Amino acid sequence: MTATVSALGYLGIGASDLEAWRGYATEALGLACSERDGALLLRMDDAPWRIRIEQSDADDLSYAGFEVSSPEALAEISERLKMMDVQISAGSEEERAVRGVAALARCADPNGIAIELYCGRASADDAFVSPRGLTFITGAQGLGHIVLMVDEESASRRFYEEGLGFKVSDTITMGKPPQSLELTFLHCNTRHHTVALAPVPGLPKRLNHIMLQVDSLDVVGKTFDLIRDREIPVSMELGKHTNDYMTSFYMQTPSGFDIEFGFGARTVDDATWEVGHYDSGSEWGHRAPAET
Ligand SMILES: [Fe+2]
């Protein structure tokens, strides 16, 4: 069987305001936050951390770490990437220690986004305790999903599909011509999409949003109330997506990109899944606040 990545395991974010992130992550998102080596480590489950916030003026994604099942799978995917002329190198001992992984390989996607492949990540020694008492849907589905703004869709699709082994879930044409945009949604486990690609060339920042999924619609609603009470900017109000059926809203992070906070997405079974196409992103809602 061809080796593929199995989940999105962690994200590195370069952020200019770590103190703002500390309050936002704990009080709004309900993530546990600790500090080590000058970086914030955000937890949402039994993994040692899922998001590492590092001091930087970039305010963007620094790296995305994808789990693979074994050292053999890591070697196979690395070989495949080399055949595609992707430069890939082993992570340093320090990089492995920071991430808590046994093996690590690093490369860049066609947009220059640092992509890491790893295996052998141990769980944290202590149990995850959310400051807001929340439970996140993670496990085999990974930490959530990311939407990336990419220069050239065909090169990016080749990297993620042929290189990492993602499969297309569906596509959505957003907006009306000439401003329309076709997004491609890709899965590597039962989560409907772990990566989505939006062809918006030449942008200085690559990360559109990170999606975190909770286990209850009430938590989504209560979080929506909470962030409005705290005057955290809402980018899109409550709505339900056409393709993954997620009921969610979007809020701005201290770094400017968004967090999608959602519940109730459907999952993908590769044995029966048929690739779909949609001409709108949402069945209802997801309006900009000014539209309400
Ligand atoms: Fe999303």
Side-chain angles (χ1 to χ4, degrees):
M1 202 178 111
T2 306
T4 68
V5 299
S6 56
L8 176 60
Y10 58 78
L11 296 170
I13 301 292
S16 55
D17 190 343
L18 260 54
E19 280 317 298
W21 262 104
R22 187 197 303 271
Y24 177 78
T26 55
E27 294 163 22
L29 303 181
L31 304 177
C33 179
S34 62
E35 189 169 346
R36 193 183 303 164
D37 302 327
L40 303 181
L41 303 180
L42 307 184
R43 284 187 66 184
M44 56 193 294
D45 58 11
D46 62 3
W49 53 269
R50 290 293 197 172
I51 303 175
R52 187 170 192 263
I53 313 280
E54 303 162 4
Q55 186 73 50
S56 160
D57 291 333
D59 282 312
D60 197 9
L61 181 66
S62 295
Y63 51 87
F66 292 100
E67 185 176 20
V68 297
S69 59
S70 66
E72 293 75 23
L74 185 57
E76 185 182 327
I77 297 170
S78 299
E79 273 311 306
R80 207 160 65 218
L81 289 168
K82 281 181 196 165
M83 297 288 284
M84 296 169 64
D85 290 329
V86 175
Q87 290 197 356
I88 187 157
S89 59
S92 68
E93 191 176 341
E94 185 189 344
E95 287 164 342
R96 289 200 309 274
V98 164
R99 291 148 181 78
V101 301
L104 179 69
R106 308 189 78 211
C107 63
D109 86 349
N111 312 285
I113 299 167
I115 299 296
E116 301 187 351
L117 308 172
Y118 72 89
C119 62
R121 193 179 202 204
S123 298
D125 295 332
D126 54 338
F128 165 65
V129 179
S130 164
R132 289 187 52 214
L134 309 189
T135 301
F136 295 90
I137 305 301
T138 58
Q141 292 193 44
L143 72 87
H145 71 232
I146 51 175
V147 176
L148 303 173
M149 294 180 289
V150 301
D151 288 333
E152 196 192 332
E153 196 206 358
S154 59
S156 294
R157 279 189 59 165
R158 186 162 174 260
F159 176 85
Y160 286 97
E161 289 179 62
E162 294 176 31
L164 302 188
F166 278 86
K167 293 189 176 72
V168 176
S169 307
D170 37 49
T171 54
I172 301 179
T173 302
M174 306 272 195
K176 299 263 183 289
Q179 258 102 40
S180 60
L181 192 68
E182 185 166 294
L183 274 69
T184 304
F185 297 80
L186 301 160
H187 65 272
C188 62
N189 53 46
T190 60
R191 188 181 290 285
H192 174 276
H193 57 283
T194 288
V195 173
L197 306 172
V200 189
L203 292 182
K205 298 189 183 190
R206 296 302 185 173
L207 182 59
N208 176 270
H209 70 265
I210 303 168
M211 189 287 301
L212 305 179
Q213 185 174 345
V214 289
D215 65 343
S216 133
L217 183 58
D218 286 340
V219 169
V220 175
K222 286 175 183 175
T223 306
F224 190 54
D225 283 350
L226 183 152
I227 64 136
R228 285 190 300 177
D229 288 346
R230 293 182 181 228
E231 297 182 346
I232 292 168
V234 172
S235 303
M236 287 203 275
E237 301 207 329
L238 281 165
K240 183 176 179 182
H241 281 305
T242 50
N243 60 343
D244 68 357
Y245 300 172
M246 186 85 76
T247 300
S248 61
F249 70 93
Y250 291 67
M251 56 178 143
Q252 206 178 95
T253 67
S255 287
F257 60 80
D258 283 346
I259 294 282
E260 177 184 7
F261 203 82
F263 162 76
R266 63 171 165 166
T267 53
V268 170
D269 177 356
D270 273 321
T272 55
W273 187 260
E274 290 183 18
V275 176
H277 176 76
Y278 302 86
D279 56 13
S280 117
S282 303
E283 287 184 25
W284 55 267
H286 283 147
R287 296 182 180 200
E291 292 178 54
T292 56

